Amino acid sequence: MLFHFIELEYKENDIKNATYYNTNNILDSSKNYIFEIDSIPVGIYINDFLTDDKIILDTDFFKFLKKQIQISQNRGDISGVINIDKLQPCYKKYMENVKEFNESKSRTIKNKDINYEFCNPIRSSIITKDKSLYIKNEKEYEKHLKNIIKKIHKQLKSSFQLPKEYDKGLFDCFYSQMIINHRLRSAVHKDVKNKFPYSSLICLSNNKDLKEHVISFVDYDIGIPMINNKSLLIFDSVNIRHSNNEIDQNLLNDRFSIVFYRK
């Protein structure tokens, strides 16, 4: 497999977390890339990764993904600056008691009148081996995602140094969690709470009109074209700010993304 090396160069900017960002500097999706900062690898892009006889992305697969989606009000910057018009009715009524927000204004801060925090709602589910959503559907996770996770694990081991010892995660692989997103355009954010810097991302849709969707490394003004149902991006999501380019809403409605990570 041939890779092109790209040295990421920081671009001064005033782009804030939880805002939306577009880049026109989009890479050629026909090539594979290794991203470096100061000659140290921080990411790898494989344009045609999911084309494998063991990986079946059929109608049943997408029905399964859709069944896993819940509404999350706790995702922070990725969900954008809080917009009262986006909030569910049960949260709108609490806004009059909100006194403060976090620095990016993507999350409320608790006070004496409201004892929890919330963000804009997004269609997203966090999956771990001990969560009920996984336990109830374990056989389906094995059927639809095991081969994907196993293949990503193999690529992760060959691309980045893993700890010599670790508790086995999903399907005895390194990653312990995954997030399934639906209809989500990510605002500018970093995954600062992850214990391991390198996360893996795939983008999926059964809409044939959706050819690719761009994830940008915001501070380097570079866009990575995630080919629908094919590409893999592994990168340092803890230290590299990232977001999604704008996409037609009709195409976004059919788009899933899955992020695999260790926490």
Side-chain angles (χ1 to χ4, degrees):
M1 188 181 298
L2 178 64
F3 287 93
H4 297 262
F5 285 80
I6 293 182
E7 178 72 22
L8 298 178
E9 297 180 3
Y10 181 81
K11 307 287 194 302
E12 287 288 341
N13 64 80
D14 57 1
I15 301 163
K16 296 181 179 179
N17 286 353
T19 61
Y20 292 95
Y21 172 78
N22 285 297
T23 181
N24 294 316
N25 184 27
I26 300 170
L27 298 175
D28 182 349
S29 64
S30 69
K31 299 177 181 179
N32 302 312
Y33 300 96
I34 292 175
F35 304 102
E36 297 183 330
I37 296 177
D38 296 330
S39 300
I40 298 173
V42 294
I44 182 172
Y45 168 82
I46 301 175
N47 69 336
D48 199 17
F49 183 81
L50 294 176
T51 49
D52 186 310
D53 290 341
K54 293 181 180 180
I55 297 174
I56 301 173
L57 307 179
D58 58 7
T59 301
D60 287 341
F61 174 82
F62 287 102
K63 285 182 179 178
F64 160 73
L65 288 185
K66 195 169 186 179
K67 285 195 304 182
Q68 308 314 301
I69 297 300
Q70 300 173 333
I71 300 297
S72 172
Q73 299 260 180
N74 193 36
R75 292 290 304 279
D77 287 350
I78 193 173
S79 61
V81 175
I82 286 186
N83 180 342
I84 193 169
D85 293 330
K86 291 182 178 181
L87 297 178
Q88 295 177 305
C90 58
Y91 286 92
K92 284 183 181 180
K93 65 182 181 181
Y94 295 123
M95 282 299 289
E96 64 184 35
N97 293 321
V98 172
K99 306 288 194 303
E100 294 180 276
F101 298 88
N102 65 349
E103 184 178 352
S104 63
K105 295 182 171 55
S106 66
R107 186 190 301 276
T108 62
I109 294 177
K110 292 186 285 188
N111 59 55
K112 63 182 179 62
D113 298 315
I114 184 167
N115 62 358
Y116 52 87
E117 301 173 345
F118 58 88
C119 310
N120 287 330
I122 60 175
R123 295 170 58 83
S124 175
S125 295
I126 297 174
I127 309 298
T128 66
K129 291 191 296 184
D130 59 354
K131 285 187 177 285
S132 60
L133 198 59
Y134 179 87
I135 294 170
K136 290 177 182 178
N137 300 281
E138 186 171 359
K139 289 184 178 178
E140 286 194 87
Y141 276 94
E142 182 169 354
K143 174 184 176 182
H144 294 296
L145 289 172
K146 180 179 179 179
N147 290 326
I148 293 175
I149 293 172
K150 289 280 190 183
K151 187 173 184 181
I152 290 175
H153 176 76
K154 185 177 180 180
Q155 183 63 53
L156 181 69
K157 282 201 307 180
S158 68
S159 301
F160 299 99
Q161 185 173 355
L162 303 184
K164 290 183 179 179
E165 296 183 3
Y166 56 85
D167 293 331
K168 291 182 177 179
L170 297 163
F171 301 112
D172 293 331
C173 295
F174 181 71
Y175 288 131
S176 59
Q177 298 190 19
M178 60 180 153
I179 293 180
I180 304 175
N181 302 308
H182 186 216
R183 301 177 181 175
L184 173 65
R185 180 192 176 193
S186 299
V188 177
H189 69 287
K190 294 193 292 188
D191 303 329
V192 294
K193 293 184 178 180
N194 290 3
K195 289 184 177 179
F196 181 75
Y198 299 102
S199 300
S200 293
L201 169 69
I202 57 176
C203 296
L204 308 157
S205 177
N206 59 355
N207 187 336
K208 294 181 179 178
D209 291 331
L210 178 52
K211 306 303 181 185
E212 61 185 39
H213 193 193
V214 175
I215 179 172
S216 61
F217 293 167
V218 176
D219 297 313
Y220 305 95
D221 189 35
I222 193 167
I224 296 94
M226 300 299 295
I227 303 174
N228 185 39
N229 300 338
K230 288 187 176 182
S231 299
L232 170 70
L233 176 64
I234 305 176
F235 73 106
D236 181 355
S237 66
V238 172
N239 295 298
I240 295 176
R241 291 202 300 167
H242 50 287
S243 67
N244 288 132
N245 267 19
E246 189 173 11
I247 183 174
D248 179 270
Q249 187 61 49
N250 291 326
L251 298 178
L252 184 62
N253 286 343
D254 295 323
R255 178 186 178 273
F256 295 88
S257 62
I258 307 179
V259 181
F260 305 92
Y261 60 101
R262 188 168 185 88
K263 212 166 192 178

